[in-house]
């Protein structure tokens, strides 16, 4: 892949993170020998501004019946999606008997709020295990990948949608033209598209390079999303910056001319110019910042190892796979990673094979240091971990820079 997935222009690679496994591919020792790796290189397109992986593993390798990410494990995200659903209903969905479609609906964390109000809805969720959790909760869900062909089937069966929603999934899908064309077909003339994903501007400003992993084939910004949707007769009419995932952007989109354009959109476009998201130099600086962050983190972990301090990873997140593999963090440096998700426990982290253990093992014998892989939930985690801190425990964070808290 040497041309832009969106506008077909040549793209400019700016960093390689080296050999990477599947970010959510937690595994058992008998699977170590067959583990899949790809070279994770990232490029930027001068013409449309899209930042993208040069290669991405096949979708079935990442999204299948063993998918390890269950959205409902985070209480703060459940609140976030409840507010999201309320906002959609209060501000955008007015007519009688509305129909809401969400892709990447996972265990139903967002749609449960529509289902509770008996609003017609449909979740599209290809990972069968998480889709089943939603179905068991009474949420109407099909286990398929969304694209243009599926959009046509949905329209035939249910009619057009008042709202098309997505969170942390659009940036996963390489065949974006099929998805956006599907949205155009599916959306009522006055309907609304609202989706949010980690925001390129935040990744650049905070050096939060762990947002880059196999699933995230794109890092979006307002400029690149505008370019993409305009190709399909749709346009952004508002943006709503979010704190989630360390900085996300919610794009509010409709058919061209259907909604008034907000002032906030223009302000965000100007902000992107100021940050320099269209300049090759910005990505050069970002690469150097990543290299520095890696050096600083490894220096700290090696020093703690020499001092015989216990370091345990906190939360076996997808993002941690980029950090551990790019930096080379092995079980010699991090004893285990504590995680509350049963499907990950007893397994080993992708690539570097750090054991993943139940949370009780962290809480029953606190380490001196916890490497906070779930840094984007720092507030929620630190509020829950007062005892760890009272016992003298310290946090290691690496965003926006490596430091001990
Ligand atoms: N929306 C949830 C959230 O924000 O917590 C889940 C996000 S999870 C990172 C991404 C989800 O998108 C996974 O459950 C995955 O199976 C699903 N997914 C991946 N490709 C998809 C596609 N083409 N259509 C619909 N869902 C997809």
């Amino acid at each position: 892949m040497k041309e832009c997935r969106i506008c077909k222009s040549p793209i400019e690679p700016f960093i390689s993170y080296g050999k990477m496994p599947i970010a959510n591919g937690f595994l058992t020792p008998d699977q170590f020998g067959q583990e899949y790796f790809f070279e994770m290189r990232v490029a930027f397109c001068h013409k449309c501004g899209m930042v993208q992986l040069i290669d991405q593993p096949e979708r079935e390798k990442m999204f299948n019946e063993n998918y390890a990410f269950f959205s409902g494990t985070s209480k703060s995200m459940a609140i976030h999606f409840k507010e999201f659903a309320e906002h959609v209903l209060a501000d955008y969905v007015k007519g009688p008997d509305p129909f809401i479609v969400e892709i990447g609906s996972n265990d139903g964390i967002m749609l449960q709020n529509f289902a509770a109000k008996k609003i017609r809805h449909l979740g599209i969720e290809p990972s069968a295990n998480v889709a089943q959790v939603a179905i068991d909760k009474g949420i109407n869900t099909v286990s398929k990948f969304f694209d243009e062909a599926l959009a046509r089937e949905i329209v035939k069966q249910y009619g057009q949608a008042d709202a098309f929603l997505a969170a942390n999934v659009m940036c996963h899908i390489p065949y974006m033209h099929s998805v956006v064309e599907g949205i155009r077909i599916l959306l009522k003339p006055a309907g609304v598209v609202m989706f949010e994903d980690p925001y390129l501007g935040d990744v650049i400003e905070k050096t939060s390079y762990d947002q880059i992993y196999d699933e995230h084939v794109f890092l979006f910004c307002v400029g690149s999303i505008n370019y993409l949707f305009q190709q399909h007769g749709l346009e952004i009419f508002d943006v709503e910056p979010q704190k989630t995932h360390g900085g996300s952007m919610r794009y509010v989109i409709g058919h061209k001319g259907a909604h008034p354009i907000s002032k906030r959109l223009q302000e965000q476009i100007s902000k992107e110019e100021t940050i320099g998201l269209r300049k090759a130099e910005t990505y050069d600086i970002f690469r150097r910042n990543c290299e520095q962050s890696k050096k600083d983190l490894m220096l700290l972990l090696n020093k703690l190892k020499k001092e015989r301090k216990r370091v345990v990873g906190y939360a076996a997140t997808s993002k941690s796979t980029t950090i551990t593999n790019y930096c080379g963090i092995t079980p010699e440096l991090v004893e285990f990673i504590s995680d509350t998700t049963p499907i990950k426990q007893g397994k080993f982290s992708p690539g570097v094979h750090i054991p993943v253990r139940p949370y009780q093992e962290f809480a029953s014998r606190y380490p001196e240091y916890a490497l906070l892989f779930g840094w984007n939930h720092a507030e929620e985690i630190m509020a829950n971990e007062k005892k760890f801190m009272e016992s003298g425990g310290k946090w290691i964070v690496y965003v926006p820079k490596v430091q001990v808290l």
Side-chain angles (χ1 to χ4, degrees):
M1 172 73 208
K2 296 274 185 309
E3 63 176 36
C4 175
R5 289 180 177 84
I6 304 303
C7 71
K8 306 287 172 218
S9 304
I11 48 175
E12 191 165 319
F14 59 87
I15 190 166
S16 170
Y17 292 96
K19 219 173 70 154
M20 281 287 155
I22 299 294
N24 266 308
F26 295 88
L27 67 182
T28 47
D30 56 305
Q31 296 169 323
F32 287 176
Q34 303 112 50
E35 194 171 10
Y36 172 88
F37 289 92
F38 72 108
E39 189 191 347
M40 195 166 82
R41 290 175 300 159
V42 192
F44 142 78
C45 176
H46 286 273
K47 186 174 170 205
C48 71
M50 191 63 87
V51 170
Q52 53 203 283
L53 294 185
I54 295 179
D55 300 301
Q56 189 192 31
E58 291 163 31
R59 62 189 191 178
E60 288 78 7
K61 279 200 163 64
M62 302 180 284
F63 309 116
N64 50 46
E65 66 287 357
N66 294 316
Y67 192 54
F69 178 75
F70 288 71
S71 304
T73 49
S74 164
K75 283 198 190 109
S76 63
M77 289 309 285
I79 296 168
H80 173 78
F81 287 122
K82 185 167 189 284
E83 288 169 359
F84 190 159
E86 281 164 4
H87 175 31
V88 173
L89 291 176
D91 298 315
Y92 291 110
V93 174
K94 306 276 183 220
D97 190 26
F99 176 45
I100 314 290
V101 173
E102 189 198 357
I103 68 166
S105 48
N106 201 275
D107 55 12
I109 190 166
M110 168 118 77
L111 285 180
Q112 63 195 6
N113 300 293
F114 296 99
K117 293 189 161 74
K118 307 232 176 311
I119 291 172
R120 280 199 305 137
H121 63 273
L122 175 65
I124 316 293
E125 178 42 70
S127 299
N129 59 339
V130 292
Q132 193 56 47
V133 176
I135 293 167
D136 292 345
K137 286 197 261 184
I139 295 159
N140 189 27
T141 306
V142 288
S143 194
K144 287 187 176 169
F145 287 94
F146 182 78
D147 59 11
E148 185 183 335
L150 186 61
R152 289 184 194 281
E153 279 178 38
I154 298 171
V155 175
K156 252 192 227 156
Q157 198 179 339
Y158 297 88
Q160 283 182 308
D162 294 80
F164 177 96
L165 310 178
N168 310 304
V169 55
M170 293 286 276
C171 71
H172 293 47
I173 312 178
Y175 40 94
M176 258 295 131
H177 283 296
S178 168
V179 168
V180 180
E181 189 53 20
I183 294 175
R184 189 188 65 76
I185 292 163
L186 187 55
L187 196 68
K188 279 187 182 168
V192 68
V193 180
M194 291 176 89
F195 74 89
E196 59 191 37
D197 281 294
Y199 179 56
L200 173 65
D202 284 295
V203 172
I204 297 293
E205 285 189 322
K206 298 175 188 158
T207 317
S208 48
Y209 68 90
D210 56 349
Q211 286 298 355
I212 301 170
Y213 54 91
D214 57 354
E215 294 181 18
H216 292 178
V217 65
F218 297 117
L219 275 176
F220 295 145
C221 63
V222 178
S224 59
I225 286 300
N226 223 359
Y227 179 95
L228 167 64
F229 278 76
Q230 278 178 357
Q231 310 291 303
H232 297 268
L234 298 154
E235 67 183 3
I236 309 183
F237 63 89
D238 199 7
V239 287
E240 300 174 0
Q242 304 293 315
K243 286 202 178 125
T244 48
H245 295 293
S248 297
M249 187 60 72
R250 183 180 293 162
Y251 306 90
V252 191
I253 295 172
H255 287 285
K256 203 165 173 22
H259 302 267
I261 307 282
S262 79
K263 206 170 131 228
R264 205 158 34 177
L265 174 62
Q266 199 44 54
E267 285 166 1
Q268 196 63 38
I269 292 172
S270 309
K271 193 174 168 207
E272 291 190 353
E273 272 168 34
T274 314
I275 314 172
L277 294 186
R278 285 298 182 101
K279 290 188 191 148
E281 187 199 347
T282 303
Y283 299 97
D284 217 38
I285 296 170
F286 175 72
R287 190 197 62 248
R288 277 185 265 139
N289 288 344
C290 292
E291 289 162 359
Q292 189 61 47
S293 174
K294 170 181 174 172
K295 263 190 215 150
D296 293 346
L297 184 57
M298 290 311 281
L299 212 68
L300 174 63
L301 292 175
N302 279 308
K303 174 176 158 287
L304 295 175
K305 184 188 165 195
K306 267 197 203 129
E307 293 168 4
R308 296 181 177 278
K309 304 285 190 211
R310 284 184 69 222
V311 180
V312 165
Y314 194 104
T317 57
S318 339
K319 297 191 293 295
S320 68
T321 297
T322 299
I323 300 293
T324 52
N325 284 272
Y326 173 58
C327 298
I329 301 171
T330 56
E332 284 78 56
L333 297 174
V334 169
E335 196 179 304
F336 65 89
I337 306 174
S338 145
D339 200 282
T340 52
T341 317
I343 196 175
K344 297 179 187 175
Q345 295 166 354
K347 293 193 177 152
F348 290 78
S349 74
V352 290
H353 304 158
I354 301 172
V356 181
R357 305 239 175 92
Y359 172 74
Q360 290 71 11
E361 293 202 26
F362 170 79
S364 61
R365 193 165 75 93
Y366 286 134
E368 279 118 333
Y369 292 85
L371 177 52
L372 187 52
F373 288 130
W375 60 266
N376 50 307
H377 295 295
E379 236 174 82
E380 184 181 353
I381 293 172
M382 289 184 188
N384 288 337
E385 294 299 352
K386 291 213 175 79
K387 271 197 192 155
F388 165 62
M389 294 184 277
E390 280 159 16
S391 79
K394 295 196 170 72
W395 298 101
I396 301 172
V397 294
Y398 42 83
V399 174
K401 60 183 177 82
V402 175
Q403 55 189 324
V404 174
L405 301 176

